[in-house]
Amino acid sequence: MLAQLVFYVFAAVLLLSAAMVISVRNPVHAVLFLILAFFNAAGLFLIAGAEFLAMLLVIVYVGAVAVLFLFVVMMLDIDFTQLREGLQRHAPIGICVGGVLFAELIMALSHWTMAPAGVSVPLQAAPGLTNTAALGTLIYTHYVLLFQACGLVLLVAMIGAIVLTLRQTGSGRRQNIEKQHARTPEETLVLVRVPLGENVLEQGGFLRPQTSYYDTAVPGSYGSTGQPAVEKEETGA
Amino acid sequence: MPSVLGDYAPVLVFGAISVVIAAAMLGMALVCGQQKPYPEKVTAYECGFEAFDDARRRFDVRFYLVAILFIIFDLEVAFLFPWAVSLSRIGLFGFLSMLGFLSVLGIGFLYEWRKGALDWD
């Protein structure tokens, strides 16, 4: 009874939020509704007993994919007046595509046969194992080739993303970390005794040794060769 | 399946409570608060000065790179969970197959490290 109630709540919220995803005006709100839909789908998976899938949905889809969707949505420059301009021209094409898809759906549904009620689905739970453990016993031994192929796909995705998007601008100030860690205060600080009541600027400002900024800079990065342009700014402050 | 529902009953209770609290906060503000909006009041607020421009603008592709790399390692971690649960049943072969998987992704990690994809500049 309670399980059915929870199921209907999750299913109703899932359907509502899925409808909101495609009907809401603001694309950022659409992505947020998509996240709500993911959460409810995870709840449905939990009720069906598929704990691992539910957690995967939360970790991967809500944690990572939705973030990526938000990125894409925020990167798009969506102008509604501009979007509505093409509506008249593109409407016939859109209606054609939608009609074809709808006809295909009708054809698929008309040939759909339901199993008679009472026929049990030929799925057997692994005896004495939780869902996750049953998956684990199969993935890493029986399906080892596919598993390693997954690793290769992930590697290709990683290298592809880096090759496509990584642009070293060289405008950053990167440090040679080992050098920076090995430095002592004596190398980087000069203590100046300032008389009481005197202006600090008259004593030369806040002084750093000339090499303090750029002797730990990575060669080629910003400021690695540049002379006191930065130091002067500091003094003026 | 009542057993699963019983296991996750605390989570369900927490979820219900959070929904109630959120609805109460928004609803009370909506019901009890005085609302007299005028155009100047509902403009985007940006630390007191006029908003520069729209929030929808291009930003650095490196944010995207960080997100992609996060997804990839997220998926890698997702593979670790069932492996850890069933490690006692899959024997040495299962252990080594996961090591192979991790080393393939470790090569990718070394690549992005040496390439400087993890440095911001």
Side-chain angles (χ1 to χ4, degrees):
Chain A
M1 180 57 209
L2 182 67
Q4 277 180 350
L5 183 73
V6 173
F7 170 80
Y8 280 117
V9 167
F10 275 133
V13 177
L14 172 62
L15 285 180
L16 272 181
S17 56
M20 292 299 276
V21 170
I22 55 172
S23 63
V24 88
R25 265 284 142 81
N26 190 335
V28 177
H29 292 174
V31 176
L32 294 180
F33 273 114
L34 190 64
I35 293 174
L36 183 63
F38 284 150
F39 267 118
N40 284 284
L44 286 183
F45 271 132
L46 262 189
I47 293 172
E51 284 176 299
F52 181 63
L53 278 183
M55 295 309 153
L56 212 60
L57 206 67
V58 172
I59 293 174
V60 174
Y61 279 83
V62 177
V65 173
V67 172
L68 208 63
F69 277 9
L70 271 181
F71 265 124
V72 172
V73 162
M74 294 179 85
M75 239 186 280
L76 293 177
D77 190 11
I78 295 174
D79 189 1
F80 284 109
T81 51
Q82 211 176 357
L83 276 183
R84 242 173 261 133
E85 258 173 28
L87 188 64
Q88 298 277 328
R89 265 184 304 131
H90 300 310
I93 306 172
I95 289 172
C96 281
V97 173
V100 168
L101 281 179
F102 189 67
E104 281 176 352
L105 268 183
I106 294 287
M107 286 195 300
L109 282 183
S110 63
H111 287 277
W112 192 285
T113 50
M114 289 290 207
V119 174
S120 65
V121 188
L123 263 183
Q124 287 165 345
L129 285 182
T130 61
N131 227 312
T132 316
L135 265 178
T137 49
L138 280 181
I139 294 177
Y140 308 106
T141 51
H142 194 256
Y143 294 110
V144 61
L145 261 178
L146 290 175
F147 174 57
Q148 300 298 336
C150 276
L152 282 179
V153 168
L154 287 180
L155 178 69
V156 169
M158 199 184 297
I159 292 176
I162 292 170
V163 168
L164 284 176
T165 62
L166 189 65
R167 302 275 181 277
Q168 293 285 13
T169 52
S171 64
R173 192 193 286 271
R174 265 176 296 147
Q175 279 183 333
N176 188 339
I177 302 290
E178 293 89 5
K179 231 175 182 174
Q180 170 70 14
H181 283 175
R183 292 211 290 185
T184 54
E186 289 76 38
E187 292 172 58
T188 57
L189 283 176
V190 177
L191 290 179
V192 180
R193 190 165 292 281
V194 181
L196 276 177
E198 290 282 322
N199 191 338
V200 179
L201 282 183
E202 283 165 11
Q203 304 295 320
F206 297 97
L207 284 176
R208 286 174 196 265
Q210 285 293 301
T211 57
S212 139
Y213 271 117
Y214 51 88
D215 66 352
T216 56
V218 169
S221 74
Y222 178 77
S224 60
T225 52
Q227 266 285 348
V230 187
E231 265 83 351
K232 274 203 184 112
E233 277 175 32
E234 290 290 310
T235 347
Chain B
M1 196 173 285
S3 66
V4 174
L5 212 58
D7 288 346
Y8 284 90
V11 180
L12 208 62
V13 171
F14 272 119
I17 290 177
S18 66
V19 166
V20 167
I21 290 178
M25 289 201 289
L26 288 178
M28 293 303 273
L30 215 64
V31 171
C32 304
Q34 284 193 352
Q35 285 172 8
K36 292 174 189 159
Y38 51 91
E40 200 59 32
K41 201 191 239 175
V42 295
T43 49
Y45 178 72
E46 198 170 322
C47 289
F49 49 80
E50 304 261 322
F52 289 129
D53 52 6
D54 200 29
R56 310 267 175 284
R57 47 192 275 191
R58 294 183 181 203
F59 51 84
D60 201 330
V61 75
R62 276 178 298 179
F63 290 104
Y64 183 73
L65 179 61
V66 170
I68 287 268
L69 294 177
F70 169 64
I71 287 185
I72 289 166
F73 287 111
D74 209 29
L75 284 172
E76 179 189 346
V77 168
F79 273 110
L80 281 173
F81 286 119
W83 177 73
V85 170
S86 63
L87 192 54
S88 58
R89 275 177 292 276
I90 53 180
L92 186 65
F93 182 72
F95 180 73
L96 288 180
S97 80
M98 177 48 93
L99 279 198
F101 177 79
L102 285 184
S103 64
V104 166
L105 281 167
I107 291 169
F109 179 61
L110 273 184
Y111 174 77
E112 70 179 64
W113 194 347
R114 301 301 302 171
K115 199 84 175 158
L118 296 173
D119 299 330
W120 192 246
D121 264 310

